Amino acid sequence: MSRIRSGTVPGVGLVHAPFSLLPAHLPEPFWKQACELAPIFNELVDRVSLDGNFLQDSLSKTRQVDDFTSRLLEIHRKMMEINKEENIRLGLHRSDYMLDSETSSLLQIELNTISTSFPGLGPLVSELHRTLINQYGRVLSLEPKRVPGNAASSKFAEALARAWTEFDVDSAIVMMIVQPEERNMYDQYWITKYLKESHGITTLRKTLTQVEAEGHVLPDGTLLVDGKKVAVVYYRAGYTPNDYPSEAEWSARLLIEQSSSVKCPSISYQLVGTKRIQQELANPNVLERFLENKEDIAKLRKCFAGLWSLDDEEIIKTAIEKPELFVLKPQREGGGNNIYGLDLRETLTRLQKEGGDALAAYILMQRIFPKASLAYLVRGGICHEGLVISELGIYGSYLRSKDKVITNDQCGYLMRTKVSSSDEGGVAAGFAVLDSLYLTDKVIHN
Ligand code: ADP
Ligand code: HGS
């Protein structure tokens, strides 16, 4: 069953991951729409990642006021200066959505391009729900086939294995970059398991600190860690300033970026997934710089919520008047960083007074209001009933080798459900539980 290493229960090594007793309902057309978007977002990430100047220019103001983003950009700039080519590019993304009840439209919360959690545990919850509905479906008048299949971990492992094959060194390994106090190791374990059992590939778990101590790059670009050649570096850490407690971790990141290993993600892919780039891509005529297909562009735009930089006096004024209609976001990943309601009003007022580029550290986003429903959430072995809202994440895998697209798929999903009164989300952040999906025919009408 899905487990998370305890960080709170004294003397107990493991607690079960919090989960919902039965799956969240979603009208099938929205599921289809979310799945259809995955390969388009995958391609967009790859195209944007190749435009180094667009990334540097779009993040230039943020760079002035956000040290973490600035450090990432510094590594990116160094790679541009040496014309570093990433001929093999692997992305394991998750695009998160909420169904806005006011407009009955599926709107993107964000596109995660690094360390996307729960490809391992998510499918276990889908399986649990399908099993429960197989046993009790008649009583509950639910049909098991309406819980979509969810093979996220095996498909992520398959994409990693294909990247390993493209690297084409039989003795090479996959290195997973993890946090020293990783609590979500069992989610990561499923990827390691499939890599070994289905593809015969060994995975090495290392922290950035260990890479700095044990790694070095050969003259031909090969990264050696612990004396082993590294075909693919799969980051499950490195997405937050907390992962870089000293210069050692930054030099490890640079060492990896300079090597010939396949990075998942590269520094460019990580930068494409920042909230500032999400907001820039929502500006008029920007998508047209990267994609040709007008239908694809329209499909992406259809799922964009309102997104603004804080250059816009008008929107700041509106947000200060009606803070409950917005979310203020720093350039951070990992949950628990966003600002809502009265805090949003205070922060915006303060930043305006400060003036200068302080505002560039944030983006403003339309707040999405999903319809609340009743659910049973199981946490620490206890079942609670509550009014909840859900967030659908669609995993996508993308592998390109020179001019060949080897993989560009939707691969599974993650449904996260939280009590509707909670602003923040996130399972690891302690707000949400792992859920799955039950497809219904009815489309919600107001
Ligand atoms: P992070 O990258 O830190 O996870 P997100 O942008 O994904 O930050 O936001 C974290 C959580 O905040 C989401 O899972 C969701 O619960 C809530 N959230 C974020 N943006 C919005 C929004 N526009 N409307 C409503 N809730 C939001
Ligand atoms: C791991 N320890 C994410 N990832 O996917 N957040 C949630 O699991 O490898 O908690 O709700 C790392 C972000 C949604 C999952 C945690 C995207 C992590 O926080 C990695 S960057």
Side-chain angles (χ1 to χ4, degrees):
M1 182 43 192
S2 47
R3 287 176 297 268
I4 282 189
R5 216 169 74 186
S6 154
T8 51
V9 185
V12 171
L14 293 180
V15 287
H16 73 75
F19 63 94
S20 168
L21 203 52
L22 286 168
H25 289 204
L26 181 80
E28 186 151 11
F30 295 116
W31 160 250
K32 287 205 166 87
Q33 177 190 358
C35 290
E36 218 177 67
L37 286 166
I40 307 174
F41 273 116
N42 288 347
E43 186 61 43
L44 177 66
V45 169
D46 194 59
R47 303 279 181 95
V48 177
S49 75
L50 298 174
D51 191 337
N53 291 325
F54 171 78
L55 292 172
Q56 289 283 336
D57 296 348
S58 303
L59 289 160
S60 58
K61 279 192 179 173
T62 310
R63 173 192 199 119
Q64 309 299 330
V65 291
D66 179 335
D67 186 49
F68 176 60
T69 307
S70 169
R71 295 301 299 263
L72 294 174
L73 280 167
E74 195 181 311
I75 294 174
H76 177 255
R77 195 176 41 77
K78 283 186 179 144
M79 293 307 108
M80 285 177 74
E81 279 165 7
I82 61 171
N83 291 317
K84 181 79 168 51
E85 295 256 309
E86 299 299 334
N87 291 323
I88 307 170
R89 301 192 292 271
L90 173 63
L92 297 179
H93 310 313
R94 194 190 68 243
S95 182
D96 295 336
Y97 303 93
M98 280 184 169
L99 183 52
D100 184 61
S101 54
E102 277 158 51
T103 57
S104 193
S105 52
L106 194 78
L107 297 178
Q108 187 183 51
I109 296 284
E110 72 157 345
L111 178 62
N112 296 285
T113 58
I114 183 169
S115 301
T116 55
S117 296
F118 300 121
L121 302 190
L124 299 183
V125 181
S126 304
E127 233 175 287
L128 168 72
H129 287 163
R130 204 176 301 107
T131 304
L132 285 175
I133 296 173
N134 262 319
Q135 285 174 325
Y136 307 107
R138 259 190 304 288
V139 175
L140 299 163
S141 54
L142 296 173
E143 303 157 57
K145 68 175 174 31
R146 287 176 179 271
V147 179
N150 192 355
S153 46
S154 58
K155 290 199 170 178
F156 265 22
E158 189 181 330
L160 283 159
R162 286 184 173 173
W164 179 89
T165 305
E166 285 304 306
F167 188 78
D168 197 19
V169 172
D170 279 355
S171 61
I173 51 107
V174 169
M175 177 166 71
M176 192 187 293
I177 301 293
V178 296
Q179 288 155 340
E181 296 298 311
E182 181 53 67
R183 292 185 58 218
N184 196 23
M185 59 204 295
Y186 296 99
D187 177 55
Q188 298 163 355
Y189 158 78
W190 288 93
I191 308 267
T192 302
K193 167 194 175 323
Y194 282 114
L195 275 171
K196 190 63 179 171
E197 293 176 8
S198 310
H199 306 282
I201 297 170
T202 301
T203 304
L204 206 54
R205 288 173 68 86
K206 289 289 176 185
T207 64
L208 283 170
T209 317
Q210 289 169 318
V211 171
E212 198 272 340
E214 303 161 22
H216 67 277
V217 174
L218 299 178
D220 70 353
T222 305
L223 174 64
L224 279 183
V225 176
D226 246 356
K228 298 178 183 67
K229 293 182 180 177
V230 179
V232 184
V233 181
Y234 172 42
Y235 285 95
R236 291 295 294 258
Y239 55 87
T240 163
N242 306 336
D243 292 336
Y244 302 84
S246 74
E247 282 308 310
E249 290 72 31
W250 284 113
S251 57
R253 186 70 194 266
L254 178 61
L255 186 78
I256 294 166
E257 207 60 35
Q258 287 165 329
S259 78
S260 62
S261 301
V262 180
K263 278 74 90 173
C264 179
S266 65
I267 201 88
S268 303
Y269 268 38
Q270 179 172 0
L271 290 170
V272 175
T274 58
K275 294 172 171 66
R276 168 73 185 100
I277 297 299
Q278 176 185 2
Q279 179 263 318
E280 184 61 30
L281 290 172
N283 283 338
N285 309 315
V286 177
L287 288 178
E288 283 74 6
R289 286 179 57 170
F290 301 103
L291 296 174
E292 301 79 32
N293 185 308
K294 294 274 173 279
E295 275 168 38
D296 286 351
I297 290 173
K299 284 174 185 166
L300 293 182
R301 281 216 172 96
K302 187 178 172 196
C303 79
F304 285 169
L307 284 155
W308 301 272
S309 71
L310 295 181
D311 297 340
D312 182 336
E313 295 277 329
E314 268 315 294
I315 201 66
I316 294 182
K317 190 162 154 289
T318 312
I320 289 175
E321 277 159 20
K322 299 181 187 136
E324 66 286 355
L325 299 182
F326 296 88
V327 183
L328 185 61
K329 298 190 174 187
Q331 304 310 310
R332 292 290 180 272
E333 300 297 327
N337 304 296
N338 297 335
I339 301 170
Y340 303 83
L342 293 182
D343 287 352
L344 186 148
R345 171 182 288 165
E346 276 161 33
T347 307
L348 277 183
T349 310
R350 173 173 55 79
L351 288 169
Q352 259 195 329
K353 280 204 190 83
E354 268 175 36
D357 285 339
L359 291 159
Y362 299 86
I363 65 150
L364 199 60
M365 185 172 183
Q366 164 197 346
R367 181 156 187 175
I368 302 163
F369 296 97
K371 188 166 174 290
S373 57
L374 205 57
Y376 298 92
L377 310 182
V378 185
R379 226 187 252 286
I382 300 163
C383 187
H384 311 264
E385 182 183 8
L387 260 185
V388 301
I389 54 175
S390 296
E391 179 173 352
L392 172 64
I394 299 288
Y395 293 106
S397 60
Y398 185 88
L399 176 65
R400 195 180 184 108
S401 182
K402 298 183 188 63
D403 55 2
K404 208 168 35 140
V405 177
I406 298 171
T407 303
N408 184 7
D409 291 325
Q410 174 261 340
C411 43
Y413 62 94
L414 168 67
M415 196 64 153
R416 288 176 291 160
T417 291
K418 65 179 184 181
V419 289
S420 52
S421 58
S422 164
D423 289 335
E424 261 301 310
V427 175
F431 300 95
V433 304
L434 294 170
D435 198 341
S436 89
L437 190 49
Y438 188 84
L439 299 180
T440 62
D441 297 329
K442 72 180 187 310
V443 181
I444 302 171
H445 290 296
N446 288 334

